[in-house]
C-alpha cells in the first residue's frame, strides 16, 4: 500500500487549471506527513474480530470511501468489479450476489465470474430501504436490486460519477452525482422525478456525503462549504446555510467542502467542513444555532449529549451538542487521516490510513483498543448494526466484523 498515493487521493480531486504540486513527498519534509507512531495501550479492552471477508481488489488508488449498508441481520456491499453482495451479518456468509451466476469459495476468498453489473465499476456504496438496494457507478448509472433476492428491479442514469451512497426515502431514491446535480428517482420504477443543479468550485476534496432525510426535507453538504435542504417531494430548495466561507488567494486555500456524514437531531442538523468549521443548524429555518472553529474532511458521529469528529490533523474532538464547546480531544492519532467516527456502545471508533481501527472511550477520549484489518487504508466510515457489531472495509476490499467490546 502506498501511503503517498492514498494521501493525494484524499487531499485533492481532479481540478481544472490546477498546476502540478512539486516536492510534497520527494524530500525530507515529506517525512513530517507520515502517520504518528502508535504506542502501546496501557489497559486495553478485548477487541475480537468475529469474521472477515475479501471482497475484491482495485479500490485503493481511487480514493473511494466505501462502506457497508446495514439492515437487520444483513449487510449490503459493492465492489469495483461491479458486484453487489448481500452478506449474513452474523457469519459473513454470502446470501446473494448481483451476478446470480456462480459463486465459489476458496479459503476466505470469494471467486466470481467477471461479468460486471456496471461495466465502469461501482463507486458509491449501496443505499438500502423500502426493499431496495441501490448503487451508483463511475459512469453515472444507477441500479436498484431487490433486497431479498438480488434480482435487478430497474436502471436509471445520472449525469456523472456517483460517489455518494444513494438515499432511499419517501418513495424516492435520491442520488448525488459528482457534477453537483442531485436526482430524485421514483423508487418503484426508476423514473426521474426531479433534479437539483448546483455549480462546483474548481478544486475540492474527493468524495460526497450521503444525503440525509428528515421529515419532508433532504439535506446535503456541498463543495462550496454550504448545507442545503431540498423538498423531498419535488427537489426545490427550502433553505441553505454556509458552514465555512471558501475564501483565499487560490483554489487550494478556498477548499471548504462539506463532504462527510451530516447528523440529524430532533430539530437540529450538524455539519462539519474541510475548512475547519462545525455548525449546528436549525432544521426549521436553516439558521445557525452555534458554530465552532473545529472541523474536518469527514463527517460527524452523534451521541446523546455530544458530537464527535476528526480534524485534518488527526485530532479527535468531542463537542457539546447544545453549545459546541469542547469536552475533550485526543491527539495521539496525528496525520493518520482518520475516517468519520462511528459509535459502538460506549466507544468511538475511527479507521486510519494504515488499516487500523481505534476504539476511544466516549466519555473521556482515552484510546482503549486497536486492531489492524490489513495493511491498506480504511477510508469509509465504519458502520454499526442494531445489535452493536461494527463493520469496516479497507481500500483493498477486506471487510471485517467486530462485536461490541464488553
Amino acid at each position: 500500500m502506498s501511503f503517498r498515493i492514498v494521501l493525494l487521493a484524499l487531499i485533492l480531486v481532479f481540478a481544472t487549471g490546477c498546476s502540478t504540486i512539486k516536492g510534497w513527498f520527494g524530500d525530507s519534509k515529506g517525512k513530517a506527513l507520515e502517520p504518528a507512531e502508535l504506542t502501546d495501550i496501557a489497559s486495553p479492552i478485548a477487541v475480537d474480530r468475529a469474521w472477515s471477508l475479501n471482497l475484491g481488489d482495485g479500490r485503493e488508488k481511487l480514493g473511494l470511501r466505501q462502506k457497508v449498508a446495514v439492515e437487520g441481520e444483513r449487510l449490503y456491499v459493492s465492489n469495483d468489479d461491479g458486484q453487489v453482495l448481500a452478506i449474513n451479518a452474523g457469519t459473513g456468509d454470502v446470501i446473494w450476489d448481483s451476478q446470480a451466476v456462480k459463486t465459489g469459495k476458496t479459503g476466505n476468498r470469494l471467486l466470481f465470474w467477471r461479468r460486471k453489473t456496471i461495466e465502469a465499476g461501482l463507486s458509491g456504496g449501496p443505499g438500502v430501504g423500502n426493499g431496495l438496494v441501490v448503487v451508483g457507478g463511475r459512469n453515472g448509472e444507477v441500479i436498484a436490486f431487490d433486497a431479498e433476492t438480488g434480482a435487478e428491479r430497474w436502471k436509471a442514469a445520472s449525469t456523472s460519477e456517483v460517489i455518494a451512497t444513494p438515499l432511499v426515502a419517501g418513495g424516492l431514491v435520491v442520488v448525488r452525482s459528482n457534477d453537483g446535480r442531485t436526482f430524485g428517482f421514483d423508487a418503484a420504477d426508476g423514473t426521474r422525478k426531479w433534479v437539483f443543479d448546483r455549480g462546483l468550485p474548481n478544486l475540492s476534496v474527493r468524495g460526497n456525503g450521503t444525503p440525509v432525510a428528515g421529515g419532508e426535507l433532504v439535506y446535503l453538504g456541498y463543495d462550496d462549504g454550504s448545507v442545503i435542504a431540498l423538498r423531498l417531494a419535488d427537489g426545490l430548495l427550502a433553505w441553505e446555510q454556509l458552514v465555512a466561507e471558501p475564501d483565499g488567494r487560490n483554489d487550494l486555500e478556498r477548499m471548504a467542502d462539506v463532504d462527510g456524514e451530516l447528523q440529524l437531531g430532533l430539530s437540529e442538523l450538524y455539519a462539519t467542513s474541510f475548512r475547519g468549521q462545525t455548525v449546528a443548524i436549525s432544521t426549521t429555518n436553516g439558521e445557525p444555532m452555534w458554530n465552532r472553529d473545529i472541523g474536518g474532511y469527514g463527517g460527524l458521529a452523534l451521541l446523546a449529549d455530544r458530537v464527535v469528529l476528526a480534524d485534518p490533523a488527526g485530532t479527535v474532538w468531542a463537542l457539546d451538542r447544545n453549545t459546541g464547546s469542547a469536552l475533550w480531544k485526543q491527539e495521539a492519532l496525528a496525520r493518520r487521516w482518520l475516517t468519520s467516527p462511528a459509535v459502538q456502545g460506549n466507544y468511538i471508533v475511527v479507521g486510519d490510513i494504515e488499516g487500523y481501527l481505534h476504539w476511544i472511550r466516549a466519555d473521556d477520549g482515552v484510546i482503549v483498543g486497536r486492531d489492524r484489518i490489513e495493511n491498506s487504508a480504511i477510508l469509509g466510515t465504519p458502520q454499526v448494526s442494531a445489535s452493536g457489531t461494527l463493520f469496516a472495509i479497507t481500500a483493498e476490499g477486506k471487510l471485517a466484523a467486530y462485536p461490541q467490546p464488553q
Side-chain angles (χ1 to χ4, degrees), residues 71 74-79 81-86 96-101 115-119 121-137 141-156 166 168 173 186-190:
E71 186 172 68
R74 288 190 180 188
L75 311 177
Y76 300 93
V77 66
S78 60
N79 66 21
D81 285 324
Q83 296 166 306
V84 181
L85 309 174
W96 56 255
D97 77 90
S98 58
Q99 312 305 331
V101 181
R115 179 173 63 82
K116 295 183 178 183
T117 298
I118 296 181
E119 290 299 327
L122 298 170
S123 51
V128 181
N130 297 338
L132 293 179
V133 180
V134 186
V135 294
E141 193 171 14
V142 180
I143 300 184
F145 301 93
D146 185 283
E148 182 62 29
T149 66
E152 186 178 303
R153 295 271 289 269
W154 50 259
K155 285 185 179 181
V168 185
V173 174
D186 191 302
D189 58 12

Side-chain angles (χ1 to χ4, degrees), residues 113-237:
W113 286 8
R114 294 302 183 189
R115 179 173 63 82
K116 295 183 178 183
T117 298
I118 296 181
E119 290 299 327
L122 298 170
S123 51
V128 181
N130 297 338
L132 293 179
V133 180
V134 186
V135 294
R138 296 203 302 276
N139 60 359
E141 193 171 14
V142 180
I143 300 184
F145 301 93
D146 185 283
E148 182 62 29
T149 66
E152 186 178 303
R153 295 271 289 269
W154 50 259
K155 285 185 179 181
S158 68
T159 52
S160 181
E161 180 183 26
V162 178
I163 294 178
T165 300
L167 167 70
V168 185
L172 292 175
V173 174
V174 180
V175 176
R176 167 83 181 274
S177 67
N178 207 35
D179 58 3
R181 295 183 176 95
T182 300
F183 298 85
F185 297 104
D186 191 302
D189 58 12
T191 303
R192 183 189 297 184
K193 303 304 249 182
W194 52 260
V195 58
F196 176 82
D197 193 359
R198 188 180 187 91
L200 297 176
N202 291 331
L203 187 67
S204 63
V205 179
R206 180 164 173 78
N208 297 136
T210 304
V212 175
E216 298 178 354
L217 298 177
V218 58
Y219 306 98
L220 303 101
Y222 266 87
D223 298 351
D224 60 4
S226 63
V227 170
I228 66 171
L230 303 179
R231 297 194 327 201
L232 190 58
D234 54 20
L236 294 179
L237 182 67

Side-chain angles (χ1 to χ4, degrees), residues 306 308 316-318 326-330 360-365:
R306 63 195 65 191
V308 182
V316 183
W317 295 83
L327 301 176
W328 54 254
K329 64 178 179 179
Q330 172 54 255
I360 303 170
R361 235 178 3 232
D363 59 352
D364 58 11

